């Protein structure tokens, strides 16, 4: 176990050590990552965001009365988001540190409203299409909702009829994605809105990915279904500045159709000897750096800047779809969003992902689930910078395909001792692990992960 050094080290050495630590990391700006990273590919933009971040890094968003600039910036970045998402002057919202936090707050607001109407003893239910982000399942666990999974239709969008069948007196919230993370499709928010209005339940639209990409795709002539406050039944929307808003990590927004709906989000505590604590978010003390960086990036880009970036993303997306189809990968569904996935029955996707990692590319494996009928796939979050490298990427994929085995190995023949998950190590053979995840029941995968994470990986 590493302990606090007796004597401090000089700053130069500390930084050198950190550089050494980072040696095996991917470089976030290298354009080599097709997942987890959202990057405009513009040096000036990153420099601006860093300067703005540093200017406000030491200020805290804990108490809105201390630093007036923070309140002003928050109101402005919320306004910019609301105006992109069909909001009128009644729409309100708050800056948060991520999509998960935005979703958790919206569910809390919905739960408080539900409790007022139905009493505190009824356990509220949230109906989640299979493609809804795990942040909803996590929020349900934190907030005491029962989460109910609903199916997908032929187009792999939320099956609205199935959702309708699952709804009852305990249903508090229904959810649609714009688009969903695994495949990039936008759910039929209009039909979900009709359901919500008919039954008086809360409709949340998760536009974490689409909030700052779909409006620009649409302006560029792409076919994008309606998904925002222009649809009457939409109560709240989550949208991530730190994804396609291109601000640094730690920036998202939760929006409500009107202030009445937000009431349950806000936490106030005046009954202690300290200052009255007012929280609009889950987190309390937090750096204002990401807020300032978000404000700076949005003002720097403007609609024009986002449109230019969206053009590049659409170019890279088209090249990727054509190039990978030619190599035998099968595009899943008809994704309107900036993310998409490919499946294959006869190419070993997980092995291809490992071969690409050897070439320095990050390609995200989605193991899916045999039991739940979710396909194995490779996920791609398309970034503007990918326009410059997509052709090279496809060439490297061609090589990986030619070297990879055909089809998938039989898991029962696996030598599990090869797994070698040691204390504090990140497992190396992800190919094997992904195939196991695909084949095992999800509850088994979940307990296995909890054990490994708790007992082995996160140790000092
Ligand atoms: C990323 C994402 C989230 C969760 O956001 P975090 O910022 O990772 O907390 C929720 N929904 C969708 C569709 C996402 O892509």
């Amino acid at each position: 176990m590493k302990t606090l050094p007796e004597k401090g080290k000089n700053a130069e050495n500390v930084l050198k050590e950190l550089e050494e630590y980072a040696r095996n990391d991917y470089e976030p700006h290298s354009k080599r990552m097709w997942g987890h990273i959202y990057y405009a590919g513009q040096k000036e933009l990153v420099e601006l965001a860093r300067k703005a971040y540093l200017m406000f890094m030491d200020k805290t968003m804990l108490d809105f009365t201390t630093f007036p600039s923070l309140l002003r910036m928050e109101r402005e970045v919320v306004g910019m988001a609301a105006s992109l998402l069909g909001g009128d002057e009644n729409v309100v919202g708050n800056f948060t540190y991520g999509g998960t936090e935005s979703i958790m707050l919206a569910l809390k607001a919905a739960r408080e409203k539900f409790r007022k109407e139905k009493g505190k003893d009824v356990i509220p239910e949230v109906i989640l299409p299979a493609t809804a982000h795990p942040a909803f399942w996590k929020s349900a666990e934190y907030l005491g909702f029962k989460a109910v999974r609903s199916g997908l239709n032929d187009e792999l969008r939320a099956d609205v009829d199935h959702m309708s069948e699952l709804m009852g007196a305990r249903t508090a919230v229904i959810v649609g994605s714009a688009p969903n993370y695994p495949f990039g499709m936008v759910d039929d928010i209009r039909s979900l809105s009709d359901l919500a209005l008919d039954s008086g339940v809360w409709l949340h639209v998760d536009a974490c990915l689409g909030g700052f990409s779909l409006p620009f795709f649409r302006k560029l002539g792409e076919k994008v279904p309606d998904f925002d406050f222009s649809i009457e039944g939409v109560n709240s929307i989550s949208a991530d500045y730190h994804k396609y808003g291109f601000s640094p990590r730690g920036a998202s927004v939760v929006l409500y159709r009107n202030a009445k709906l937000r009431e349950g989000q806000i936490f106030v505590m005046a009954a202690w000897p300290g200052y009255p604590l007012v929280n609009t978010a889950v987190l309390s003390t937090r750096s204002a750096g990401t807020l300032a960086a978000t404000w700076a990036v949005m003002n720097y880009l403007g609609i024009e800047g986002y449109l230019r970036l969206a053009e590049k993303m659409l170019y890279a997306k088209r090249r990727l779809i054509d190039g990978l189809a030619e190599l035998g990968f099968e595009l899943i569904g008809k994704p309107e969003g900036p993310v998409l996935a490919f499946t294959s029955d006869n190419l070993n996707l997980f092995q291809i992902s490992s071969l690409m990692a050897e070439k320095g590319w990050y390609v995200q494996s989605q193991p899916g689930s045999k039991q739940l009928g979710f396909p194995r796939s490779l996920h791609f979050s398309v970034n503007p910078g990918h326009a410059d490298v997509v052709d090279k990427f496809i060439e490297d994929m061609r090589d990986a395909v030619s070297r990879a085995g055909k089809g998938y190995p039989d898991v029962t023949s696996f030598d599990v001792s090869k797994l070698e998950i040691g204390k504090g190590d990140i497992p190396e053979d992800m190919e094997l692990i992904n195939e196991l995840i695909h084949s095992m029941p999800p509850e088994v995968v979940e307990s296995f992960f909890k054990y490994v994470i708790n007992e082995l990986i996160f140790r000092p």
Side-chain angles (χ1 to χ4, degrees):
M1 188 188 302
K2 168 121 171 125
T3 56
L4 189 63
E6 204 59 51
K7 277 181 73 172
K9 308 172 182 180
N10 77 44
E12 203 181 317
N13 287 348
V14 170
L15 292 175
K16 262 205 199 112
E17 251 185 273
L18 279 180
E19 258 173 37
E20 178 64 21
Y21 276 32
R23 216 185 39 201
N24 294 324
D25 292 354
Y26 281 97
E27 167 50 47
H29 301 307
S30 63
K31 307 177 182 177
R32 293 210 150 234
M33 299 185 73
W34 291 88
H36 289 319
I37 284 294
Y38 305 85
Y39 167 50
Q42 292 182 355
K43 265 209 183 75
E44 331 77 76
L45 187 79
V46 178
E47 276 159 21
L48 170 70
R50 285 180 180 164
K51 280 184 186 151
Y53 188 100
L54 287 177
M55 273 172 81
F56 286 86
M57 183 178 84
D58 300 325
K59 296 183 179 170
T60 174
M61 295 182 72
L62 172 62
D63 178 347
F64 69 91
T65 62
T66 340
F67 303 104
S69 61
L70 307 189
L71 177 57
R72 183 169 179 189
M73 282 190 282
E74 179 165 350
R75 292 172 65 188
E76 292 185 11
V77 298
V78 168
M80 288 189 260
S83 63
L84 277 177
L85 296 172
D88 59 20
E89 64 285 355
N90 294 317
V91 168
V92 297
N94 286 98
F95 181 87
T96 74
Y97 251 51
T100 302
E101 192 179 5
S102 296
I103 286 165
M104 200 171 282
L105 289 168
L107 287 199
K108 172 160 186 298
R111 189 194 66 187
E112 300 309 321
K113 180 170 179 285
F114 181 84
R115 280 182 176 170
K116 259 192 198 154
E117 291 163 4
K118 306 265 168 111
K120 280 202 163 184
D121 301 330
V122 190
I123 292 178
E125 293 183 4
V126 53
I127 300 182
L128 300 170
T131 42
H133 196 275
F136 289 97
W137 291 82
K138 176 175 170 183
S139 299
E141 191 168 306
Y142 277 46
L143 292 166
F145 277 85
K146 180 183 172 202
V148 180
R149 183 187 295 106
S150 63
L152 306 176
N153 63 20
D154 311 343
E155 298 182 334
L156 298 174
R157 298 174 206 277
D159 181 343
V160 179
D161 294 334
H162 189 213
M163 286 176 94
S164 166
E165 283 163 28
L166 292 170
M167 283 168 69
R170 289 188 296 273
T171 307
V173 185
I174 59 175
V175 169
S177 305
N180 68 58
Y181 183 89
F183 310 136
M185 269 80 86
V186 177
D187 288 328
D188 179 358
I189 306 298
R190 256 187 209 290
S191 299
L192 292 181
S193 163
D194 291 343
L195 267 190
L197 292 172
D198 284 350
S199 53
V201 309
W202 185 296
L203 170 58
H204 180 84
V205 172
D206 183 13
C208 277
L209 288 168
F212 302 107
S213 58
L214 293 178
F216 304 111
F217 283 10
R218 182 183 283 145
K219 278 200 175 76
L220 291 169
E222 293 289 299
K223 228 181 102 201
V224 173
D226 292 339
F227 66 94
D228 60 18
F229 287 120
S230 60
I231 303 176
E232 194 191 341
V234 174
N235 290 40
S236 54
I237 299 179
S238 43
D240 286 352
Y241 301 116
H242 68 196
K243 287 182 180 156
Y244 292 104
F246 302 112
S247 59
R249 259 98 298 264
S252 173
V253 68
V254 56
L255 299 170
Y256 299 86
R257 177 171 292 281
N258 57 56
K260 181 95 188 116
L261 293 170
R262 180 173 60 178
E263 271 174 9
Q265 176 196 307
I266 296 163
F267 178 81
V268 184
M269 163 68 180
W272 75 313
Y275 61 94
L277 186 115
V278 178
N279 277 161
T280 52
V282 177
L283 301 181
S284 201
T285 294
R286 56 200 161 130
S287 168
T290 63
L291 170 65
T294 300
W295 188 93
V297 164
M298 295 183 92
N299 278 290
Y300 178 76
L301 286 174
I303 289 181
E304 260 180 28
Y306 279 109
L307 279 174
R308 273 199 309 275
L309 295 174
E311 258 169 13
K312 289 188 177 189
M313 282 153 61
L314 287 172
Y315 169 81
K317 181 180 164 186
R318 267 179 233 125
R319 290 288 306 129
L320 192 67
I321 290 177
D322 295 345
L324 294 192
E326 198 203 307
L327 296 181
F329 295 91
E330 195 185 319
L331 178 67
I332 297 182
K334 292 200 179 84
E336 291 97 356
V339 304
L340 59 163
F342 293 85
T343 186
S344 178
D345 289 334
N346 47 46
L347 302 172
N348 186 334
L349 298 176
F350 307 144
Q351 191 184 6
I352 288 168
S353 168
S354 298
L355 289 167
M356 292 303 279
E358 286 169 18
K359 292 175 190 275
W361 296 100
Y362 177 76
V363 178
Q364 191 168 58
S365 296
Q366 299 189 130
S369 165
K370 195 172 185 172
Q371 183 176 311
L372 295 174
F374 304 151
R376 304 173 183 87
S377 62
L378 295 178
H379 171 100
F380 296 86
S381 293
V382 177
N383 282 224
H386 290 141
D388 305 332
V389 298
V390 64
D391 290 335
K392 170 77 179 119
F393 175 76
I394 291 165
E395 278 323 298
D396 284 353
M397 283 290 271
R398 188 187 303 279
D399 181 55
V401 167
S402 72
R403 289 195 289 135
K406 297 278 169 275
Y408 297 90
D410 172 11
V411 281
T412 56
S413 68
F414 274 172
D415 180 1
V416 182
S417 65
K418 263 175 52 189
L419 271 178
E420 283 180 9
I421 303 173
K423 229 179 161 183
D425 287 343
I426 300 170
E428 288 219 341
D429 194 349
M430 286 312 291
E431 185 189 331
L432 178 69
I433 291 176
N434 281 317
E435 190 55 28
L436 280 170
I437 296 171
H438 179 77
S439 310
M440 292 194 292
E443 310 80 56
V444 177
V445 176
E446 285 162 11
S447 348
F448 172 72
F449 267 54
K450 268 190 194 171
Y451 172 79
V452 171
I453 297 294
N454 186 31
E455 296 291 338
L456 298 175
I457 295 187
F458 283 85
R459 308 286 304 221

